[in-house]
């Protein structure tokens, strides 16, 4: 059961320190997907909830409209610490309301989700000048995905969503995030989806605080053969794996003319 509540905010639009973006729009506090690796779980400490991350979602409300002149030519992402198409979106239509405000915007809008619910807003997305929809995937293995992302859409549904978005004339991005050491086969993902994906984004598995403990527990219980490898990366802080992988992905995409962004290059 997910606890639903509301919260008042001054503005949906927030400046960000993320170097690849100018503004972020997070329309909900919390996320019901309960992904084991979720980096956003640190947000629990900024909420009014005693429940764990994944067990609550607050719907944000404000009377303030998005100032589209303020974000002209800026890069804006919906969302960075929640899913704008979590199951409550069907009821509240907050994301749809924001997209309607952004239709005439000159900003470069990125929508990031794991949910096929985004397809309900294709009519608005088609009217937007600069928009892309990124669907995040970590693996093509449905069994593994269900263990790590128990309340998310299936991998099949996510890839099907990308196909439908592409067919609707919307720029599609497959966000391979997080890349899971020993599990994620980026080449297999690209090969399976290249016909309907315009660009690929890559980001690594970041582990800290409580979800680091959860992931290590998962590895120890389910895949103990990988424990030493994960210890080397996340306990000993050896970045060799990520540096080598970044170079490998960069070379692979260059050779195959694949549009891409690697967010962990040079780590």
């Amino acid at each position: 059961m997910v606890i639903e509540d509301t919260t008042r905010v001054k503005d949906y639009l927030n400046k960000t320190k993320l170097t690849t973006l100018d503004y972020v729009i997070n329309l909900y506090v919390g996320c019901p997907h309960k992904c084991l690796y979720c980096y956003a779980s640190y947000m629990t400490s900024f909420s009014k909830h005693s429940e764990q991350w994944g067990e609550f979602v607050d719907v944000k409300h404000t009377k303030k409209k998005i100032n589209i002149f303020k974000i002209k030519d800026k890069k804006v992402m919906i969302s960075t610490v929640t899913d704008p198409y979590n199951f409550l979106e069907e009821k509240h239509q907050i994301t749809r309301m924001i997209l309607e405000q952004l239709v005439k915007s000159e900003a470069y809008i990125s929508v990031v989700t794991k949910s096929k619910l985004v397809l309900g807003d294709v009519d608005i997305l088609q009217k937007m000048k600069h928009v892309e929809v990124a669907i995040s995937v970590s693996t093509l293995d449905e069994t593994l995905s269900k263990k790590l992302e128990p309340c998310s859409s299936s991998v099949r549904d996510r890839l099907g969503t990308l196909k439908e978005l592409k067919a609707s004339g919307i720029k599609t991005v497959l966000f391979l995030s997080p890349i899971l050491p020993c599990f994620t086969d980026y080449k297999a993902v690209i090969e399976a989806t290249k016909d309907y994906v315009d660009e690929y984004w890559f980001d690594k598995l970041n582990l800290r605080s409580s979800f680091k403990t959860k992931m290590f527990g998962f590895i120890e219980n389910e895949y103990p053969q990988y424990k030493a490898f994960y210890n080397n990366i996340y306990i000993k802080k050896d970045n060799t794996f990520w540096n080598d992988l970044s170079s490998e992905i960069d070379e692979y995409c260059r050779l195959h003319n694949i549009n891409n962004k690697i967010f962990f290059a040079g780590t």
Side-chain angles (χ1 to χ4, degrees):
M1 179 180 177
V2 176
I3 295 173
E4 176 188 345
D5 207 340
T6 61
T7 186
R8 302 294 304 183
V9 295
K10 293 181 179 180
D11 199 336
Y12 284 130
L13 187 69
N14 290 287
K15 285 283 290 181
T16 179
K17 293 181 180 179
L18 295 172
T19 57
T20 57
L21 300 170
D22 298 300
Y23 292 92
V24 296
I25 298 174
N26 289 291
L27 302 165
Y28 297 90
V29 179
C31 180
H33 293 334
K34 299 185 179 181
C35 300
L36 202 64
Y37 52 72
C38 183
Y39 66 87
S41 61
Y42 75 90
M43 291 290 294
T44 303
S45 60
F46 297 100
S47 77
K48 57 189 177 185
H49 291 274
S50 59
E51 295 81 15
Q52 293 188 359
W53 186 257
E55 296 179 353
F56 67 89
V57 177
D58 292 344
V59 185
K60 291 184 179 181
H61 291 286
T62 183
K63 293 181 180 179
K64 187 175 182 180
K65 301 291 185 182
I66 300 292
N67 183 347
I68 63 172
F69 302 104
K70 181 178 180 179
I71 58 175
K72 181 180 180 181
D73 298 326
K74 301 296 184 181
K75 295 179 180 179
V76 181
M77 182 171 282
I78 312 170
S79 302
T80 54
V81 290
T82 186
D83 193 316
Y85 289 99
N86 68 78
F87 75 97
L88 289 176
E89 176 61 17
E90 286 189 286
K91 175 181 177 181
H92 295 283
Q93 303 276 291
I94 302 294
T95 301
R96 184 175 180 85
M97 175 191 69
I98 292 302
L99 291 178
E100 288 173 337
Q101 293 181 31
L102 294 171
V103 164
K104 295 184 179 179
S105 168
E106 294 288 333
Y108 293 85
I109 310 294
S110 300
V111 180
V112 181
T113 182
K114 280 185 168 75
S115 175
K116 62 183 180 181
L117 291 179
V118 66
L119 295 173
D121 289 342
V122 163
D123 59 323
I124 303 176
L125 294 167
Q126 288 174 324
K127 299 175 185 177
M128 299 175 71
K129 186 174 182 180
H130 305 296
V131 70
E132 59 193 5
V133 176
I135 303 292
S136 58
V137 174
S138 294
T139 175
L140 297 178
D141 186 330
E142 293 281 12
T143 301
L144 177 60
S145 175
K146 201 62 180 176
K147 291 178 180 179
L148 293 170
E149 309 159 334
C151 299
S152 297
S153 296
S154 68
V155 176
R156 180 179 179 179
D157 279 349
R158 282 181 251 175
L159 300 188
T161 298
L162 282 167
K163 288 181 183 179
E164 290 193 46
L165 289 167
K166 178 67 174 177
S168 299
I170 295 162
K171 181 181 177 181
T172 56
V173 177
L174 192 151
F175 194 7
L176 198 55
S177 174
I179 294 174
L180 304 162
C182 306
F183 298 105
T184 302
D185 184 342
Y186 75 89
K187 292 181 183 178
V189 173
I190 292 174
E191 187 61 31
T193 61
K194 61 185 179 181
D195 291 340
Y196 49 88
V197 171
D198 294 308
E199 186 168 271
Y200 291 86
W201 297 349
F202 303 90
D203 204 1
K204 67 179 182 178
L205 173 66
N206 289 293
L207 292 181
R208 56 183 180 272
S209 68
S210 62
F211 60 98
K212 181 176 181 178
T213 303
K214 290 180 180 179
M215 273 300 297
F216 267 76
F218 171 77
I219 295 297
E220 187 167 358
N221 291 328
E222 301 276 347
Y223 301 93
Q225 67 270 32
Y226 299 142
K227 183 179 178 180
F229 194 78
Y230 270 70
N231 279 337
N232 192 54
I233 296 173
Y234 295 105
I235 303 299
K236 296 181 181 179
K237 307 295 184 181
D238 186 346
N239 282 325
T240 302
F241 171 77
W242 294 118
N243 292 333
D244 289 349
L245 183 62
S246 174
S247 298
E248 181 183 321
I249 292 173
D250 181 67
E251 178 69 7
Y252 181 86
C253 290
R254 185 184 64 80
L255 289 174
H256 294 84
N257 296 313
I258 295 168
N259 295 324
N260 73 96
K261 294 176 182 175
I262 303 174
F263 294 115
F264 62 93
T267 57

